[in-house]
Amino acid sequence: METIICAEKCQSMVPAAEDALYIIAGKWKVRIIIALTGGDKRFNELQRTLSGISARVLSNELKDLELNGLVSRKILDDGTILYVRNDYADSLKNVMKELVQWGLEHKQKIRNREI
């Protein structure tokens, strides 16, 4: 009976995890969110911060993050466009913190050959 309950619970958790990963998965989305933690950035400033990302990829990733409510574009009076983390992105703060901590611990395990 416990196995059935666990299996049902696990099955209901998988789609939720897939949805979350769909939003932040990939090489750049988490990096963009973290880069915007330090404050609003112009496109070129963001591209310099994320060395190695092409303008096309950055543009597409920003559009996806904007579509999902994590990033906004702010247009200043002089026409400058800034990319801003939304309050909704702040809801990922604990997730990002745990992800970073896990990454540090994992890297240490690899270095110590504990795996």
Side-chain angles (χ1 to χ4, degrees), residues 99-115:
L99 187 61
V100 167
Q101 185 60 41
W102 186 87
L104 292 170
E105 291 171 8
H106 178 70
K107 186 178 272 189
Q108 191 61 43
K109 283 183 181 278
I110 296 296
R111 284 187 179 145
N112 294 338
R113 298 177 195 255
E114 293 178 17
I115 294 182

Side-chain angles (χ1 to χ4, degrees), residues 23-110:
I23 303 307
I24 62 171
K27 183 175 180 178
W28 298 107
K29 287 182 181 151
V30 169
R31 294 176 189 191
I32 292 168
I33 293 168
I34 291 172
L36 290 172
T37 301
D40 307 348
K41 290 188 173 36
R42 292 176 305 190
F43 185 89
N44 288 336
E45 185 180 10
L46 196 51
Q47 189 175 13
R48 281 191 302 273
T49 301
L50 301 166
S51 61
I53 190 170
S54 71
R56 182 175 158 267
V57 170
L58 178 56
S59 178
N60 288 338
E61 297 289 76
L62 286 167
K63 285 176 187 172
D64 283 349
L65 290 169
E66 190 174 3
L67 180 67
N68 286 292
L70 298 170
V71 172
S72 294
R73 289 171 15 127
K74 179 168 50 171
I75 302 173
L76 303 180
D77 291 338
D78 65 359
T80 302
I81 297 173
L82 294 177
Y83 290 91
V84 181
R85 273 175 45 129
N86 289 340
D87 291 339
Y88 188 52
D90 290 339
S91 69
L92 288 170
K93 182 179 179 180
N94 290 333
V95 173
M96 296 293 186
K97 183 178 176 182
E98 290 295 323
L99 187 61
V100 167
Q101 185 60 41
W102 186 87
L104 292 170
E105 291 171 8
H106 178 70
K107 186 178 272 189
Q108 191 61 43
K109 283 183 181 278
I110 296 296

